[in-house]
Amino acid sequence: MYEDKELKEYRDLLQPPEKFEEGFGWKSIIGAIFIGFLMMPGSMYLGLVIGTGVGPAARWVTIIIFAEIAKRSYTRLRQQEIFVLYYMAGAAMASPFSGLLWNQYLVQSEAARMLGLTQFIPAWIAPPPGSESLVDRTFFHRDWMVPILLMMGFEIISAVDHFGLGYALYRLTSDVEKLPFPMAPVGALGNMALAESADRAETSWKWRVFSIGAMIGLAFGALYVLLPAASGVILSEPIHLFPIPWIDLTPVTEDFLPAVATGIQLDLGLLFIGMVLPFWAVIGGGIGFLITLIANPILYEHGILHRWHKGMGTVDTVFANNFDFYMSFGIGLGLAIAAIGIFHVFFSFRQKFQESLKERFKILFTPPPGRGDFSIWIAIGIYIVSTTAYILFSAWLVPGFPWIFLVAYGFIYTPIISYVSARMEGIAGQFVSLPMVREASFIAASKFFGYTGIGIWYAPIPFHNYGKATQRWREIELTGTSFRSIVKAEILVIPVVLIASLLFSQYIWRLAPIPSTQYPYAQELWHLQALNTLLLQSATLEGNSPFFQALNVDYMALGMGLGVLTYWALASLKLPVMLVYGVTRGLGQSTPHGIFLEIIGALLGRYYFMKKYGVAWRQYAPVLLAGFSCGMGLMGMLAMGFTLIMRSLGSLAY
């Protein structure tokens, strides 16, 4: 273990305040309604069109609008009030009922028919093909009653679960072990920029940098999002100056780069993401892609990537390569990363503490005053109750599945992997998960306990990793927001999200079939996602499952060995630890078309902006990305509004 210079820079970006204030009030109530009924539909629409929703932009847009209204009302938004709005916008953008749009596609998909799985998809996920509700494209039908009620129940349990084990682990890793959480300041700095904008007297560099990013986002979003959306309503085919989701060059390069998915994604947001991400993580991703660029033709020549043939585009190439090699190889890589994470935790844990066990327990049960903490026993109780609810729901929906697996998921695997991941978030800003554990347990239940079917793949099993939640709590702390504000915000936002998500899912589905030419991202990629999803689910059916044809233990061992060896070599040379995570991402053989702009952004950030602005660039970059996301979000909202209004007028009877 050694001190990584890049991670240290991220650690030092921001320090927690000494004072915490309440951020929930009447402004939060108005904000929740605004987010649910204006921002959420835009996010859903953009997710189907370009693959990314309004996302962070919804937060920035909401805050800017409320800040401007507050000024004209001779008041102002405090930083804590801004963060509560920010938090609620993030919760609303989850848009739970958009999952029903995917479910309706899945039961009718060509992928399900190809793999012979249509009849095995449970009716509590979506009505079967031929249902009137699918023909009429409506959720307001009796066939959707059970899926919708179950979805609401799961969302309520999940919302309560936010304050369970994740909060307890935050108290342990942040308060007791005092881990630095190097990536948490990145999430908090953009919020602080908006807080400064609320008071012109205190405006500094943050607001200026945010405004620059917003103007760039507005200009690019007008061409990338607004033009295709507006022209698609007026003309028979939309005009795309920038192909969405990418320019596919695979058929062009197939003669000299066989079995390699090539192309470029012209989303300028990737450039800014490359500036924000740790430099060596981005460069590692490029190195991983270059390795696959060399390796794939060799694997093809030796008959390993034998399903690929000339004429395939990106989607078919990636699926064929995953089936032949990269699914198994990727499992091995994931196991290597998990093993590295566990090693980090064990090694640092062994060296960390000089205090007595009694002193650590005292810190754990006496949080800092004024922060708004609640008892850790309440958090543990929430975890136990919610996990038990997940187990009971799953056992009821999938009666043939052995309950012992459900108990092991909730009370053995989840706390262990969550703690390992929480410590890795605190040490290196990296999320850790063990790949294929859930899938392997499903297959074991099928092979050794006689379970047959695919219902368990859709059940709400208590298989969670709460490591990411620890960083979210750290972000709340860094902004000086009382934790009690977040509890109130969660209670408020749940009913708003459920109602708005259902209404706008229905509305967007009624405008056009999903997927279709009106939703190009869904039309391009949902087929690949369905193939990959259903291929895995076929493993719990009787017979020669396609999953077992794709799974190769030798390739898994190769991936794990290569991942561990790469990490050992980099650590021995004292190279940045983020490089190994980047290389692993590049070797994962997902669609690689976005890596080019990310690398350009990383190079610009390190060798131009870092030289010009020094270490301060670490703070500028996330604020610039936040501004760009805001500009793109505004264009997305304008595009969505124009499209919805024009299509609504077009459907009226005259």
Side-chain angles (χ1 to χ4, degrees), residues 298-332:
I298 297 174
L299 295 173
Y300 174 72
E301 291 297 327
H302 286 77
I304 295 176
L305 301 180
H306 60 275
R307 283 179 172 80
W308 182 86
H309 59 79
K310 289 186 177 182
M312 283 186 170
T314 290
V315 172
D316 292 334
T317 297
V318 170
F319 179 75
N321 291 349
N322 281 341
F323 197 100
D324 290 336
F325 179 76
Y326 279 101
M327 186 187 80
S328 302
F329 184 73
I331 293 171

Side-chain angles (χ1 to χ4, degrees), residues 112-126:
R113 287 193 291 271
M114 286 170 52
L115 296 172
L117 298 181
T118 302
Q119 68 272 26
F120 295 104
I121 298 176
W124 45 267
I125 288 297

Side-chain angles (χ1 to χ4, degrees), residues 486-509:
I486 303 303
V487 176
K488 298 172 186 176
E490 194 73 51
I491 295 172
L492 170 66
V493 83
I494 291 172
V496 174
V497 166
L498 290 176
I499 295 171
S501 182
L502 176 60
L503 292 177
F504 287 110
S505 293
Q506 162 74 14
Y507 191 66
I508 290 173
W509 191 21

